[in-house]
Amino acid sequence: DIPLTQSPSSLSASVGDRVTIHCRASHSIDTYLNWYQQKPGKAPKLLIYAASGLQSGVPSRFSGSGSGTDFTLTITSLQPEDFGTYYCQRSFSPPQGVTFGQGTRLEIK
Amino acid sequence: EVRLVESGGGLVKPGGSLSLSCVASGFTFRTYDMNWVRQAPGKGLEWVSSISSDAYDVYYIDSVKGRFTISRDNAKNSLFLQMDSLRAEDTAVYYCARDYRGSTTFDYWGQGTLVTVSS
């Protein structure tokens, strides 16, 4: 297993702010890193795949970067609907290597 | 439109069994690997099990090996998870999730079904 550590665990930001969430792997995972958004009581939604690929239908204010052990999810110009918990996830085959970060809870001020 | 609809959750006593189902629509089910991912109350996400498109390959997280069985019926666009010898720590919302091109990237998720293991 390669644990993923997200930071911060929670944050509060205002509409229009630029928000950055970090995900660090204990060993290199190349760019096998995805980002999901989950709203309370709902299923997760894929935002970013392969570290920087924007999933179809996801607003362009979301972007991902990084490779190896350090990754970043950036939301430019935060919108009210962006509240929720964000998870990073290592994609791997065979799937027993799949791990998720512990989540970052984003609150809108 | 891709849809995944889970069912079968409920309250079960420790040591009991439960069978979850996930019915897929809006895509060619037989060509996609599928997964179960769970989330304990107030906790994060945990991958549980995967099955290849042809059902030939199956995988499980260590904590459920020997207790859970994943299967699929491609003729009925359905994914299943048979859960036996359930433990309190299996309590969670169980999501079925589609695997994007066999990369363990989960591009579509169902709404989830709650499994509660308690006496």
Side-chain angles (χ1 to χ4, degrees):
Chain A
D1 275 7
I2 296 184
L4 299 178
T5 303
Q6 292 182 230
S7 61
S9 295
S10 64
L11 75 153
S12 180
S14 299
V15 172
D17 282 354
R18 179 186 180 95
V19 169
T20 300
I21 298 171
H22 300 277
C23 179
R24 174 164 288 179
S26 58
H27 296 81
S28 175
I29 58 172
D30 196 4
T31 56
Y32 295 106
L33 195 284
N34 306 315
W35 291 97
Y36 300 85
Q37 175 196 62
Q38 186 179 33
K39 296 188 177 182
K42 300 295 186 182
K45 173 186 174 183
L46 178 65
L47 300 175
I48 302 289
Y49 62 91
S52 60
L54 186 67
Q55 174 67 353
S56 176
V58 174
S60 58
R61 64 180 180 273
F62 291 92
S63 65
S65 64
S67 66
T69 60
D70 291 290
F71 302 87
T72 300
L73 173 70
T74 300
I75 311 172
T76 57
S77 190
L78 191 69
Q79 297 300 300
E81 61 267 29
D82 297 337
F83 73 93
T85 301
Y86 291 79
Y87 293 94
C88 59
Q89 176 238 333
R90 178 202 186 200
S91 56
F92 190 76
S93 183
Q96 291 98 328
V98 169
T99 52
F100 288 89
Q102 82 279 13
T104 295
R105 186 174 177 180
L106 173 59
E107 172 191 276
I108 309 297
K109 284 182 185 174
Chain B
E1 178 194 5
V2 172
R3 285 198 74 201
L4 299 169
V5 180
E6 302 97 333
S7 61
L11 175 63
V12 62
K13 290 181 168 56
S17 298
L18 214 52
S19 182
L20 306 184
S21 299
C22 172
V23 177
S25 60
F27 66 102
T28 307
F29 180 74
R30 67 178 185 276
T31 65
Y32 285 85
D33 298 349
M34 295 295 295
N35 302 266
W36 289 99
V37 178
R38 68 185 177 184
Q39 186 170 36
K43 302 297 185 182
L45 300 165
E46 180 178 56
W47 170 83
V48 174
S49 182
S50 294
I51 186 167
S52 60
S53 57
D54 59 4
Y56 187 79
D57 295 311
V58 297
Y59 303 94
Y60 302 95
I61 194 172
D62 284 349
S63 59
V64 309
K65 277 183 185 175
R67 301 188 298 121
F68 289 12
T69 303
I70 191 171
S71 62
R72 64 191 296 160
D73 184 338
N74 285 343
K76 296 183 177 180
N77 291 342
S78 295
L79 174 71
F80 306 101
L81 187 67
Q82 176 65 39
M83 303 186 295
D84 298 321
S85 303
L86 282 160
R87 306 167 180 168
E89 55 264 35
D90 296 318
T91 294
V93 174
Y94 285 73
Y95 296 100
C96 68
R98 192 179 82 166
D99 193 319
Y100 178 62
R101 295 193 290 184
S103 63
T104 58
T105 295
F106 309 125
D107 63 346
Y108 285 95
W109 300 62
Q111 85 288 351
T113 188
L114 176 62
V115 173
T116 304
V117 185
S118 174
S119 55

